[in-house]
Amino acid sequence: MEQYKKDIISQNKEFQDIIYPLITNDTVQQMKNFKQHYETTCFEHCYTAAYHCYCICKKLNLDYKSATRAAMLHDLFLYDWRKKQDDRKGLHAFTHPKTAYKNASKLFALNEKEKDIILKHMWPVTVAFPKSIEGFILTFVDKYCALSESFEILKSRLFMKKAFRYAYLAFS
């Protein structure tokens, strides 16, 4: 995550107060050890998604606390999803919401809305609709974050390929 984004987020005391009990947990901290989208860690992805959910839900006078907490925990799986694992049945996109829910439920007291948001954040990949507007907001925020995280890396790689191509032409 870019430094100026980190600075803006860290200056929001209410947001920090909501997620502090979550992000100081040792298991949640382990999310920093797993990549989510290219160079973005699972922790960074969830942290950014949580901040976007906080801002949107607060602006719309929705349950921003539940949305923020669920967003911070929505990808609480502690494995490299790119590597096949014998104990994991099914594709990661379909199974990780249940894994995240189980992990989050063991660590924190979740309300019904938070449970539903975590379990259904992969809609429409998974067919179950979120029950709340906050659930739909995380669903779309999650896709937005994933696309923007991936786009930045792909854009830089494309730029590097073009730069090398033009350098080759210039020096040949």
Side-chain angles (χ1 to χ4, degrees):
M1 189 182 335
E2 296 171 34
Q3 188 60 44
Y4 76 92
K5 288 181 185 176
K6 287 181 185 177
D7 293 342
I8 291 169
I9 294 171
S10 67
Q11 291 171 10
N12 189 314
K13 182 171 176 8
E14 184 178 42
F15 171 73
Q16 294 301 326
D17 289 345
I18 294 167
I19 65 162
Y20 183 79
L22 307 178
I23 64 173
T24 55
N25 178 281
D26 290 338
T27 303
V28 173
Q29 284 290 310
Q30 289 178 41
M31 293 168 67
K32 293 178 178 179
N33 299 324
F34 300 96
K35 298 289 185 194
Q36 177 68 325
H37 306 111
Y38 294 97
E39 297 303 314
T40 305
T41 67
C42 220
F43 183 92
E44 291 169 328
H45 168 74
C46 289
Y47 188 83
T48 303
Y51 185 69
H52 287 299
C53 283
Y54 165 81
C55 292
I56 294 167
C57 291
K58 184 160 175 117
K59 180 84 170 167
L60 297 175
N61 294 317
L62 299 171
D63 184 358
Y64 62 90
K65 290 180 182 177
S66 293
T68 302
R69 286 172 45 86
M72 188 63 221
L73 301 171
H74 82 276
D75 282 341
L76 183 57
F77 56 85
L78 301 173
Y79 57 83
D80 183 348
W81 64 268
R82 292 165 189 85
K83 295 181 182 172
K84 181 165 174 37
Q85 296 175 353
D86 293 333
D87 62 335
R88 195 173 71 229
K89 303 217 184 323
L91 295 172
H92 170 75
F94 296 99
T95 62
H96 82 272
K98 287 182 183 172
T99 303
Y101 166 74
K102 287 177 189 172
N103 291 339
S105 294
K106 288 177 190 173
L107 299 172
F108 306 103
L110 303 175
N111 65 35
E112 291 304 311
K113 187 176 283 185
E114 292 166 347
K115 292 174 186 177
D116 187 70
I117 292 170
I118 294 168
L119 281 169
K120 297 178 182 168
H121 79 271
M122 284 301 291
W123 178 84
V125 174
T126 54
V127 293
F129 286 121
K131 291 180 183 174
S132 64
I133 295 171
E134 295 88 347
F136 278 101
I137 289 171
L138 174 59
T139 296
F140 293 113
V141 163
D142 186 37
K143 283 27 168 199
Y144 166 78
C145 289
L147 286 170
S148 64
E149 292 158 7
S150 300
F151 180 73
E152 286 303 313
I153 296 298
L154 294 173
K155 184 173 75 172
S156 67
R157 288 181 182 175
L158 180 64
F159 175 77
M160 288 304 295
K161 284 182 180 178
K162 283 185 177 179
F164 284 126
R165 187 179 322 141
Y166 292 125
Y168 173 77
L169 292 173
F171 294 112
S172 33

